[in-house]
Amino acid sequence: MLNIYCPHCGEHRSEEEFHYAGEAHIPRPENPAELSDEAWGDYLFFRRNPRGLHHEQWYHATGCRRFFNVARDTVTYEIHESYPMGARPSVSRDSEEAA
Amino acid sequence: MTQLTLPRAESPLHHADLPALAGQDQKGGLILREERFSALVILRGPDDDPGMRAGVEGALGAAPPTEPCSSVLGDDGTRLLRITPDEWLVFGPGTQRQDLMSRLRSALQGTPGRVVDVSSGYACLHLSGEALADVLKKSTSYDVHMRNFPPGKVVGTTFGKGQAYMLRTDADSVLVIVRRSFADYTWLWLQAAAEEYGLSIAG
Amino acid sequence: MTQRNRLPERGRVDRSRTLRFQFNGRTYTGHPGDTVASALLANGVRLVGRSFKYGRPRGVIAAGPEEPNAILQVGTDPATTTPNLRATQTELYDGLVCSSTNGWPSTERDLTSVVGKVGGRMMPPGFYYKTFMWPSSLWMTYEKGIRKAAGLGQSPSQPDPAEYDHMNHHVDVLVVGAGPAGLSAARTAARAGARVMIADEQPELGGHLLASRATISGTPAAKWVRRQTDALAREPEVTVLRRTTAVGYHDHNFVVLSERRTDHLGPDAGGVRERLHRVRAGQVVIATGAHERPLVFGNNDRPGVMTASAVGTYINRYGVVPGERLVLMTTNDHAYHTALDWHNAGREVVAVVDTRAEAGGDLPTEARACGIRVLTGHGVIEAAGGRSVTGARVAPLSADGESLAGTTHELPCDVIATSGGWSPVVHLTCHTGDKPVWSEEVLGFVPGETRQARVCAGGVNGTYALEAVIHEGVDAGKRAATAWGFEATEMRDLAVSVAEPSQDPSMKLFLVPHHKPVTRAPKQFVDFQTDVTAAAIEVAVREGYESIEHVKRYTVMGFGTDQGKLGNVNGVALTARARGKTIPETGTTVFRPAYTPVTFGALAGMERGGLLDPARFTPMHLWHVRQGAAFEDVGQWKRPWYYPRHGESMQQAVNRECLAVRQRVGMLDASTLGKIDIQGSDAREFLNRVYTNAWMKLQPGRCRYGLMLKEDGMVFDDGVTACVDDEHFIMTTTTGNAGPVLEWLERWHQTEWPELDVCFTSITDQWATVTVTGPESRNVVAKLCDDIDFSREAFPFMAWREGTVAGALARVFRISFTGELTYEINVPADYGMHLWEAVYAAGEPYGITPYGTETMHVLRAEKGFIIVGQDTDGSVTPEDLGMHWALKREKPFSFLGQRSLDRSDSRRRDREQFVGIRPLNGEAVLPEGAQAVENPSNPVPKRTIGHVTSSYYSAALGHSIALGLIERGHDRQRERLHFMTSDGRLEEAELCSTVFYDPDGARQNV
Amino acid sequence: MANRYSGFGLFRHALRYHENWQRAWRNPTPKTHYDVIIIGGGGHGLATAYYLASQHGITNIAVLEKGYLGGGNTGRNTTIVRSNYLWDESGQLYEHAMKLWEGLSEELNYNVMFSQRGVLNLGHTLQDMRNIERRVQSNRLNGIDSHVVTPDEIKKIVPIINIDNLRYPIMGSSWQPRAGVARHDAVAWGYARAADALGVDLLQETAVTGMRIEGGTIRGVETNRGFIGADRVGCVVAGNSGVLAGMAGLRLPLESHPLQAFVSEPLKPVLDTVVMSNHVHGYVNQSDKGDLVIGAGIDGYNGYGQRGSMPVIEHTAAAICEMFPMFRRVRMNRQWGGIVDTCPDACPIISKTPVDGLYFNCGWGTGGFKATPGSGHVFASTIANDSPHPLAAPFALDRFYSGALIDEHGAAGVAH
């Protein structure tokens, strides 16, 4: 039962307030028309779906209606950090391996 | 063109006929009052824009607060609730229903500030009584303890299976603001949640 | 019947009051403070149930949640009878009626036991996998028999009238368990200023101290408990929950507590029966103690065989000695307490059978001093007796306890108490996936590593010496409070000392050997409720079910309602033994919530009936109710479906409503449509990106229909958007999609295009909408408004105006979902009812007719307008719908979903396309969902080439019509296909244009 | 088969105190090379190995299981078996499985307790009923037994159900009499025993740590027990497909979510039909042990923790109590979670991959158990012939590029 820090409300809120919104940092291609069906299909459907550290988007549905990013472990469910859209994570697979 | 009667307004809980239930006894652990016909305006804009801040301050006597989950009091009973980083719910007494919107709009001319009238869009339920905390604990996953939810704080959170903004108006009372179409559900919910403590209606 | 086993004094029961209760039809008495189990034992009742597989007689073994046998049906009312309650946790009240859950025809004279005796040997683990296979057609018949035999209690047969609810808590420190460790932890954390919650499953705080004769710094245990309880009550920020079990420990320190509030008061107590506390804790202190482990030996399930600590508890806490003559078998010193309790209660201790070669600790010495016979190096290898223990067969053991070292003799007795040591209650510490670790020193599993913010204290760590337990509790309270940012203060009154007797090491023994091999010895039970024996475990391993999970699943060990609290560790040890591996290598099965069972009603809380899911209403709802409208659920909304006049069928009502609109005028409550206020200098550009069509040229005062796709190119939503000014638009969405569309817009703005200056505000609830449609609609609205010119020139189709309607500020849209001249009037919701009534009054001279969603659907179908979600299903493109006109591919920005329209499958020529369908038999209304086939004479499997999405009888046209998605439909005009009807017949129908009525749109162009 | 199971055999063993039972399967040491390696010792993987051996004569096979056989979703689901899916492609695949279920106990000489007690899929809104009518008709055209039933007929089939005064009234249902439940563990064990008897090596506690791919062709797998060579490798690892794909340098259109379930305490027989409601999110049947086995919706977030969040359990309990108010007093004994690989179209992937000799069978989402025999059967054929079985062809990976998705969200039983 996740307890998620919302960077815009500045406090932890219980999972019930949020919607999961999929893998983070998948930018929409600049010129979709120029992409092959394969490249477009990759963008649409294919995901990293890692076992372990996952950067994902959450939507604070009943709170501030803001999307933001969360770095969460998909096995332990431990949340390493929440950070706003556009920001880069301070916890990455590399930094984790380094640690 | 037939003769028109003046428009008759009905509050979100009109059908519950609260006035008829009110007044009887106020001994209930939970005391509910529907704040009817308040003026509600949604204000949108970048919270660091000087023009917008100045405009709002000119119109309401207070600039939009920038602290998350905070609210400030303005002139003549107005209140600005920060509900998202670029969104405030401006709350005014019913007397300002006609002009709050226009005052703000003109004050925001030439600024990125935008306003939307939502006076009819929400039900405002004022809750108090010694069972207030317990009823809220049954209704929302948010931590309503005074240490975490002091007077002036406003949060958007879950209420029953719906959504609400909760404003701690003072130590003993909370204003619960839900979308109008959820008013009846929230009313049913509160009756059930307060049953063991007793529910009184204040007019 | 007298309570022949009740001591004149001792214990915490109130002898001044007598309670009467019924068990299996007989009436007994007990006292306040009793559990049903203690009261039954006081009355000398031994037989409490039958085992489900072998039908063997069973009695009370334990005194707490680990009890496997005394599982009762409590209450007889069909609505409130409760199955599977543990007698050891069921508080006695006057008039309680209960019965055993197994045994047929009765627990006393049980026939299943005969089957058990005879067939028992035919029922090795997994026997059902090996039989009942031929003929397979008969399995269902066999199964009925098996099902009859299975199960414990009876479900109620009537709706439960009781109330349940949830309560959310946020605390700094949650303490689970109010024994010595828990109490000390809670007091320490509270003193540090933390918000503390302490919960215990028992009606009183104190844990095992309630049954202890120990003194703490000279204070009797019970008195010490009272001091702590009072001290906690004085702390302002402490919440104490009794009769409250922590049933689940979830991620991020979310702990679920189940509080039983009224059962102990009897069936007629009102109020909330059970409450689920949902606790988010900064730190959790686990002080759940330990359960005593019974020893496994022949016929160890005979009524009268109990755990040593349970016997001690019944004597000290309830003042009940469950028999006359005791034989105690133990592997440790601690259990000698029970022998001494029994002796002090004035009844005979036949012998203490100590499996260890020597027993020189203080307690054994004290026992000997009391004249109690102590047989060291011996074990009870088998219990004598049938429905009740009559003796203990005792034999000398080899030093390692693996074999017998001599001959057997029998000690006559009626109770055999055993102690194989203790198993820490680690369950909660495992719920979030953490594994417990085996400790040779504790001879049990103790909590392992965790990511949760928790501290364990006392028995759960394998710490059993009372002084150490209390100090661990204090320390845990300190650590929890400081970890959460509080400053802990010294707790002088908790710096206690307890005189501990010297103890010899315990012996590691999980199975008392027998002369015969395990497979031939009398049944040696490991898990009582599921009838799993040591032999069953051996057989399972022999058959290759070696993983502990395989053993569990194959033998069903631990699947009972006690979840193997007594048996699991013995089972693990015997599995390890059978595999020739160590216990750590073997590991344990996973503990999952619930620690003890939780009532469904409590899980559901207040979510029932009208509160299961919010029902949303428009401001005009009461009017519809008063008019006797039938309602349709659309998302969470309740919408008028149709307004039957008395005697009218649905079809008659809908026909009447349709004709009224086509011939005169009708009115619809359209307030549920989603409305989103969109403002910003980039609002137009944003619309360009999320809609398939173009928005640059839409002028203020005009509206446009828009189509929204998901990135996969499939239709997601549609609606009309109006331009207020260059930087201000009002978007409407379908009723069901209002929320998802807003989230969709926010998603793209926030995650992809934050540079665009635009913001979205839901105004769905702000505006009430009355649709006035039909030839007379202009006359009706004109009566209500004098500041809008409704003439066709001044107020053309797809325009909107602001004005005063019925005295209220209004936005009037001239758009049409019916094909008739239509005005959609929006006013602030406070005036919704007023407007509705005003329109109704103004329309009366014109015969205005309110209509519901069904009529709305018919009218739009006659015009071929789609309903997203009914005519589309997430696999339909705009081109499939023939809406190429709505696609502006040359827009500079590639709108959402555009690229997907060029994938090979979207380009397929044989896609299913949106067409009109006209049944040849104009009276026949095809079922919505009816599948189309080209040639009905084809054999099954027949290829379906499409289906009907919408289908109605059109009163205006005088025949039935339908819309559907048909393979290559756009090229098949006038082709005939066959459609299945609900009763399996086939109807022939002709494909046609989707516009059945007024194809050139003349009627709204007036 | 070394020791054939039968009532008489049981009796013979009883006389010998069950001391002579043979192992249900061997515990072999890995060979250095196999013709085919199946990764994943769940029902699907074991079935694949069994059909490779029994239908395609390939017996030099190893099944690699990182834990114990049937320890994944096979042993964690609510055991419902039905074939009433919407689209022809999936309907035919699941019906293929249904036909195999019907003879499975005899074929495997292991009673998987397949109990055809019928499944109701309730409809609570007009749109539900449209979808039900459409699905039922499609089923009929595909030769799948399926009916639309009215509330009164529902009441006849399940007398204890509450059909009036619900928040969302029950307006009707689809009804598949041949559907039902099976004993999940027995399915894995039955296939394991039968495969072993045909010479398949079942290697438990053997975790794949890497794949050896040379020139675009699979050569074998690295494991915690060393390298094991193979000409072909089939991955059937629900809940870990993404991880395995990663080892081969592939990505899949999958997200792994927790799917929770719970059981009540054992009760005397009270419900002998499977009742599912997609709209209020809950499905329930009563096992032969007497537990009510209850399924919940998936948790929204990715998770490999085999556990989910509380609200899902709470809402599911509420849904069950709404349909069966008499169960409010019944108690939940145990809750748990599985890991389901969900595809964008709620349909599986049974496919060759860009790597020669490497095949994937995954993405069954919430629908895997019911497909076990069919899935293994068509996957075995796909591997044996290195070309998709006709029933598997529509479920190849390329559909996510072409766009030829098969959207079964409506029929998948759990709202994704």
Side-chain angles (χ1 to χ4, degrees), chain C residues 73 78 81 83 153-158, chain D residues 267-268 270 292 326-327 330:
Chain C
Q73 184 89 24
T81 180
Q154 303 269 5
S155 161
S157 56
Q158 295 297 317
Chain D
L267 302 168
K268 293 279 182 282
V270 60
L292 297 175
M326 55 185 266
F327 287 161
V330 174

Side-chain angles (χ1 to χ4, degrees), chain B residues 132-140 144, chain C residues 166-169 239:
Chain B
L132 173 63
D134 284 339
V135 171
L136 290 178
K137 283 178 176 179
K138 288 189 188 186
S139 310
T140 175
V144 295
Chain C
H166 293 173
M167 210 176 250
N168 298 287
H169 303 269
T239 310

Side-chain angles (χ1 to χ4, degrees), chain C residues 135-215:
Chain C
S136 60
S137 58
L138 267 186
W139 163 242
M140 297 290 289
T141 320
Y142 299 135
E143 192 188 30
K144 279 199 177 51
I146 291 177
R147 285 169 78 82
K148 273 209 185 60
L152 292 171
Q154 303 269 5
S155 161
S157 56
Q158 295 297 317
D160 178 5
E163 296 294 332
Y164 304 88
D165 65 19
H166 293 173
M167 210 176 250
N168 298 287
H169 303 269
H170 300 258
V171 298
D172 302 314
V173 178
L174 169 68
V175 180
V176 180
L183 287 169
S184 314
R187 284 213 47 221
T188 311
R191 185 65 54 82
R195 269 198 274 170
V196 174
M197 173 177 277
I198 178 168
D200 193 281
E201 64 189 352
Q202 303 203 60
E204 300 180 87
L205 307 188
H208 76 267
L209 292 183
L210 297 170
S212 167
R213 285 179 296 113
T215 61

Side-chain angles (χ1 to χ4, degrees), chain C residues 744-861:
Chain C
W744 181 247
L745 303 181
E746 293 283 10
R747 169 190 288 265
W748 287 100
H749 181 223
Q750 294 178 35
T751 68
E752 284 288 337
W753 313 316
E755 69 281 3
L756 295 187
D757 167 32
V758 60
C759 60
F760 317 96
T761 306
S762 168
I763 49 170
T764 302
D765 294 62
Q766 163 68 13
W767 296 91
T769 309
V770 181
T771 300
V772 187
T773 182
E776 302 286 4
S777 55
R778 180 175 283 137
N779 300 328
V780 175
V781 293
K783 279 173 67 178
L784 296 170
C785 170
D786 54 8
D787 56 3
I788 298 177
D789 177 352
F790 289 96
S791 68
R792 106 182 247 181
E793 302 69 25
F795 194 168
F797 183 54
M798 293 310 273
W800 75 278
R801 297 286 179 266
E802 210 155 33
T804 313
V805 178
L809 178 73
R811 292 168 171 170
V812 183
F813 298 81
R814 188 179 162 187
I815 54 184
S816 179
F817 200 40
T818 64
E820 302 294 334
L821 174 67
T822 304
Y823 298 92
E824 286 196 357
I825 311 169
N826 292 264
V827 296
D830 285 347
Y831 307 115
M833 180 66 95
H834 169 79
L835 174 70
W836 181 271
E837 288 175 341
V839 169
Y840 189 66
E844 249 173 338
Y846 305 91
I848 197 165
T849 303
Y851 65 94
T853 51
E854 186 65 19
T855 291
M856 174 186 83
H857 284 194
V858 177
L859 296 171
R860 63 88 202 182

